[in-house]
């Protein structure tokens, strides 16, 4: 499957919720193995707004991402309370999904997780008629479920098919991640964790440590050093959206 194919296929995702709050002011590195670090952010003081001095982002090494592994997907579902069962798979909420790619010329295959790319210039925000789709000062793109009217314009505008619609009543929710029937929703970078100085659940759960999260504006952060040292790709860079998620090895 080519890049064009995978961007035009697969279930559509989205998200709706009110996130008032902010990004962490500083970062530190937690060493997991030689050369591998997860960035741990300092906890944001309650009531302090998100800061534009921070730009949260993620680097995903597809050479480490194993085909058939869905640890990141399972961790996301558990963390964000995405547990509902649906009879029609097209109606399933999915904040992160695995994509299998194949180069038609060389036959090379690879696997990668696809989620909201947390664009600097998000199309979903541009088309939202109520302002429910929004971007925090630290670059995290969210949906305010209290003012989302479920029009799904944002779902159509997203070139990454990263948003989904909640089609049924929900139970067993995570109190820190409110969701609701008739709302649009998507990956939030686990903002409720980030604001407490933790990493996103998918990053923590990846058995191959293929995902690095941190502050792209901090030249000393692990993600900034990695982006400077290795070639990375922005999916659909031609759209000039300034995405916060980069991929190594595609």
């Amino acid at each position: 499957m080519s890049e064009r194919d995978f961007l035009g296929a697969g279930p559509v995702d989205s998200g709706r919720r009110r996130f008032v709050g902010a990004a962490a002011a500083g970062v530190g590195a937690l060493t997991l193995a030689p050369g591998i670090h997860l960035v741990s952010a300092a906890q944001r003081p309650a009531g302090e707004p998100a800061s534009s001095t921070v730009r949260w982002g993620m680097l995903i090494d597809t050479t480490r991402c194993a085909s058939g592994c869905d640890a990141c997907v399972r961790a996301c579902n558990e963390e964000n309370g995405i547990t509902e069962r649906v009879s029609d798979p097209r109606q399933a909420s999915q904040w992160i999904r695995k994509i299998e790619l194949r180069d038609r010329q060389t036959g090379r295959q690879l696997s990668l997780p696809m989620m909201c790319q947390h664009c600097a210039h998000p199309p979903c925000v541009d088309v939202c008629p109520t302002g429910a789709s929004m971007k925090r000062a630290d670059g995290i793109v969210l949906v305010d479920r209290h003012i989302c009217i479920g029009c799904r314009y944002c779902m159509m505008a997203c070139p990454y098919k990263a948003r989904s619609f909640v089609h049924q009543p929900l139970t067993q929710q995570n109190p820190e991640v409110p969701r609701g029937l008739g709302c649009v929703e998507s990956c939030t970078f686990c903002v409720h964790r980030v604001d407490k100085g933790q990493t996103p659940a998918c990053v923590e759960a990846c058995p191959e440590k293929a995902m690095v999260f941190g502050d792209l504006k901090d030249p000393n952060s692990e993600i900034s050093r990695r982006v400077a040292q290795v070639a990375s790709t922005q999916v659909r860079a031609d759209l000039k959206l300034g995405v916060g998620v980069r991929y190594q090895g595609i």
Side-chain angles (χ1 to χ4, degrees):
M1 182 182 298
S2 67
E3 177 177 311
R4 177 177 298 177
D5 292 335
F6 89 76
L7 287 178
V12 181
D13 318 341
S14 276
R16 175 194 205 162
R17 94 163 252 198
R18 177 85 173 171
F19 291 106
V20 178
V27 294
L30 172 63
T31 302
L32 298 176
I36 302 297
H37 301 79
L38 292 184
V39 173
S40 177
Q43 181 171 351
R44 174 187 59 82
E48 182 178 309
S51 172
S52 60
T53 62
V54 176
R55 171 66 156 109
W56 295 117
M58 187 179 293
L59 175 64
I60 300 173
D61 185 350
T62 63
T63 66
R64 290 176 174 266
C65 187
S67 179
C69 175
D70 65 349
C72 58
V73 177
R74 287 184 283 109
C76 175
N77 290 345
E78 181 177 356
E79 177 66 31
N80 295 292
I82 307 173
T83 58
E84 65 272 14
R85 296 184 180 276
V86 295
S87 56
D88 186 344
R90 293 172 298 179
Q91 296 183 353
S93 292
Q94 195 172 31
W95 293 16
I96 181 173
R97 68 190 191 275
K98 286 296 295 293
I99 297 292
E100 303 295 324
L101 300 179
R102 182 177 65 84
D103 188 313
R104 290 176 175 175
Q105 293 183 330
T106 66
R108 176 174 174 260
Q109 297 183 348
L110 66 155
S111 180
L112 58 86
M114 175 60 61
M115 72 284 279
C116 172
Q117 300 290 287
H118 297 278
C119 306
H121 311 289
C124 57
V125 173
D126 290 340
V127 302
C128 180
T130 67
S133 287
M134 57 184 178
K135 179 172 71 75
R136 296 202 326 181
D138 56 11
I140 297 180
V141 176
L142 303 170
V143 182
D144 184 337
R145 72 184 184 91
H146 298 292
I147 58 177
C148 173
I149 58 175
C151 68
R152 290 172 266 190
Y153 288 168
C154 61
M155 293 175 64
M156 292 183 283
C158 177
Y160 305 103
K161 294 187 177 293
R163 294 196 158 195
S164 52
F165 184 78
V166 181
H167 290 268
Q168 62 188 43
L170 304 173
T171 59
Q172 300 178 338
Q173 295 192 53
N174 178 347
E176 294 186 290
V177 189
R179 304 171 60 218
L181 174 65
C183 298
V184 175
E185 58 186 18
S186 64
C187 161
T188 67
F189 269 165
C190 286
V191 69
H192 59 289
R193 292 171 60 97
V194 171
D195 283 348
K196 292 188 293 185
Q198 302 171 353
T199 57
C202 60
V203 176
E204 188 175 274
C206 179
E208 300 299 329
K209 308 306 176 191
M211 310 169 83
V212 177
F213 178 81
D215 182 6
L216 289 166
K217 285 188 174 182
D218 178 5
N220 296 316
S221 69
E222 177 66 15
I223 189 171
S224 290
R225 293 196 298 269
R226 289 276 294 274
V227 168
Q229 293 168 359
V230 302
S232 62
T233 301
Q234 298 183 36
V235 175
R236 289 305 308 270
D238 59 304
L239 297 177
K240 299 183 179 359
L241 300 178
V243 299
V245 180
R246 317 290 175 83
Y247 294 89
Q248 177 182 349
I250 66 172

